[in-house]
Amino acid sequence: MKTLKELLTGMDYEVCKGTLDLEIRDIIYDSRKECQGAAFVCISGTKIDAHDFIPDVAARGASAVIIEKDVEVKEDITVVRVPSARKALAELAAAHFDWPTRKLTTIGVTGTKGKTTSTYMLKEILEAAGKKVGLVGTNGVVFNGKHYATEHTTPESYELQSYFHQMVEDGCEYMVMEVSSQGLMMDRVAGIHFNIGVFTNLSPDHIGPNEHSSFEEYRSWKGQLFQRCDVGIVNMDDPNWEPLLEGHTCQVYTFGQNEGADYRAVNIAHHRENGFMGASFDLIGKSEPMQIKVGIPGLFNVYNALGAVAAALTLGVEPDAILSAIYRVRVNGRMELVYSSDRFSVVVDYAHNGLSTRSLLETLRAYHPSRLVVVFGCGGNRDPHRRYDMGGAAGEMADLSIVTADNSRWEKVENIMADIHIGLDPTGGKAMDIPDRREAIRYAVSHAEDGDIIAIIGKGHEDYQEIEGVKTHFSDREEAEAVLKEMNLY
């Protein structure tokens, strides 16, 4: 255990009361946790102010409280004031776990889209090079065959540092993580210095109450990553790359199709042959020329691969490891190729709004299917405009839309499907309704025609379905695989 004085080393703080010469068993920010011998960090949330729980944690044995505003503390307990409790939590947690990221090579990926796929590409590349890698992101925390579900893309700082500590204990050498704008704004990644930061792309998202007030603020927080890393790898084809880098302190390398990019993709082609569905491109520029084949469909995955390859080359990874990893990489629920043959292909993806649905279907159109079939629903107790938009995109882009259930939560599936048809029907697109999602997937796969591409979208990596408030196990990939096995194709 470290003393409170040791934990506070390098931080900006004021001792309001008590002594710093006491050993701290743990750092907590939830008053319901075990308090004995802990330092309690008082975070002022939008609904709950942890300062109100100081008497409770003091009575239950907390050794110190960390505050960020003037409060009267009558209890006999050490009180330390800091400018920001959230930042203090991150730095105290890092110190408590003995600064684990200083023992790892760290790579952070930020952007609106492509973070999950890019991090998995990097993980696959580094593992192909014989490295032990930990990963943090939308699909959870993964290292050494272990998987931990997480609530946020970027978990709270204490949990992050705990995972990093476990990675070090398990012998990991590298850590790759998705860095969200919320994670940066809420200081979840304070106390982490990244060796490499990667920027994928930017479009309006997470703008509104309790998130970002404007697109400019959203972009500014994304750009904070490049004030916390040694090397930045950025997509120069995105029009936001220069304003996003304002104030950067890192060395910058660029990637894209534009002339002048340090890592440039040329001769891009789409392939659907012999059970393979993906893309290829030639990499030129800063590196030796390489012919790269990406095992995930779509132009945007060429960009994801470009960023991942550029980061890997910057780290000194050998080309052979890069080429083999990018060819075989698969990401759960992100343009995930469940099955592909000369007959038909089945893809599972997380697309769950109009924009992402349209983008996905446009991508699959580039592979010239004889029919493009899409199976989808929409979540209940959510903005109905998402249903209209998804219905409109599917009606315009797909040859057949199979409308079904998603996570209906507390709404009736039939009502959600009716809302989808408000957007779908005016397009004149062919559609059918199968309310049971399992049966919808079964119908789509079992009735596949030669040359079809079947896209099952909306849930992606999720392994549950929520109906009438009850969650049960459900995986789009598993359901598709079950039908394929019955057809003796899997």
Side-chain angles (χ1 to χ4, degrees), residues 27 29 41 43 85-94 156-158:
I27 311 297
Y29 61 96
V41 182
I43 294 174
R86 285 195 175 276
K87 186 176 182 182
L89 174 64
E91 293 177 340
L92 287 167
E156 188 55 82
S157 57
Y158 179 91

Side-chain angles (χ1 to χ4, degrees), residues 204-226:
D205 199 7
H206 300 292
I207 298 167
N210 302 322
E211 291 192 280
H212 299 289
S213 61
S214 66
F215 177 73
E216 289 73 22
E217 183 192 283
Y218 173 58
R219 182 177 63 200
S220 176
W221 279 112
K222 289 283 190 188
Q224 285 289 313
L225 176 61
F226 302 97

Side-chain angles (χ1 to χ4, degrees), residues 130-422:
K131 309 299 183 183
K132 280 193 170 185
V133 186
L135 181 144
V136 180
T138 306
N139 286 2
V141 178
V142 181
F143 58 95
N144 282 3
K146 303 171 186 176
H147 178 268
Y148 302 90
T150 54
E151 184 176 351
H152 302 290
T153 297
T154 307
E156 188 55 82
S157 57
Y158 179 91
E159 281 70 34
L160 268 180
Q161 295 295 336
S162 175
Y163 286 127
F164 298 153
H165 172 70
Q166 292 177 61
M167 290 176 191
V168 171
E169 290 292 298
D170 274 15
C172 290
E173 305 159 84
Y174 288 78
M175 183 278 291
V176 185
M177 71 176 292
E178 298 179 47
V179 182
S180 67
S181 57
Q182 289 284 301
L184 287 156
M185 184 174 75
M186 300 179 75
D187 279 319
R188 293 175 187 154
V189 295
I192 305 171
H193 182 78
F194 293 92
N195 297 98
I196 292 182
V198 179
F199 165 61
T200 59
N201 53 67
L202 202 70
S203 57
D205 199 7
H206 300 292
I207 298 167
N210 302 322
E211 291 192 280
H212 299 289
S213 61
S214 66
F215 177 73
E216 289 73 22
E217 183 192 283
Y218 173 58
R219 182 177 63 200
S220 176
W221 279 112
K222 289 283 190 188
Q224 285 289 313
L225 176 61
F226 302 97
Q227 298 177 32
R228 306 182 189 198
C229 66
D230 297 322
V231 178
I233 310 285
V234 299
N235 176 9
M236 72 173 297
D237 290 357
D238 188 287
N240 291 284
W241 79 277
E242 289 182 295
L244 180 128
L245 284 178
E246 186 176 342
H248 77 274
T249 56
C250 60
Q251 183 177 6
V252 174
Y253 297 122
T254 58
F255 67 89
Q257 294 186 68
N258 286 329
E259 287 190 22
D262 294 310
Y263 298 91
R264 185 179 173 207
V266 296
N267 302 325
I268 297 171
H270 302 288
H271 300 276
R272 186 185 177 205
E273 59 200 13
N274 302 321
F276 177 85
M277 187 172 169
S280 67
F281 64 94
D282 294 333
L283 177 67
I284 61 173
K286 183 177 174 62
S287 67
E288 291 295 318
M290 298 169 63
Q291 291 185 320
I292 297 175
K293 208 164 185 180
V294 188
I296 313 177
L299 177 61
F300 50 85
N301 282 312
V302 169
Y303 277 94
N304 292 335
L306 261 178
V309 169
L313 288 169
T314 302
L315 290 167
V317 178
E318 292 296 324
D320 285 351
I322 292 171
L323 294 173
S324 63
I326 290 295
Y327 179 81
R328 68 171 180 264
V329 67
R330 298 289 183 271
V331 183
N332 189 12
R334 297 301 195 278
M335 195 64 88
E336 182 179 5
L337 195 61
V338 178
Y339 174 78
S340 186
S341 72
D342 293 338
R343 282 194 56 202
F344 65 92
S345 301
V346 180
V347 172
V348 168
D349 192 81
Y350 191 49
H352 58 284
N353 58 36
L355 182 64
S356 58
T357 298
R358 189 174 297 275
S359 175
L360 172 89
L361 298 178
E362 284 178 349
T363 293
L364 295 177
R365 276 282 174 212
Y367 290 87
H368 307 295
S370 57
R371 289 193 315 165
L372 180 54
V373 179
V374 60
V375 180
F376 75 103
C378 283
N381 304 109
R382 297 292 187 269
D383 184 357
H385 286 90
R386 178 174 292 184
R387 305 167 192 178
Y388 313 152
D389 294 344
M390 284 189 74
E396 291 172 13
M397 301 296 300
D399 296 296
L400 173 63
S401 297
I402 301 177
V403 182
T404 187
D406 194 301
N407 295 322
S408 56
R409 299 183 176 89
W410 293 100
E411 283 194 74
K412 289 187 178 298
V413 173
E414 292 76 11
N415 293 344
I416 297 172
M417 293 168 64
D419 282 345
I420 291 171
H421 278 282
I422 291 173

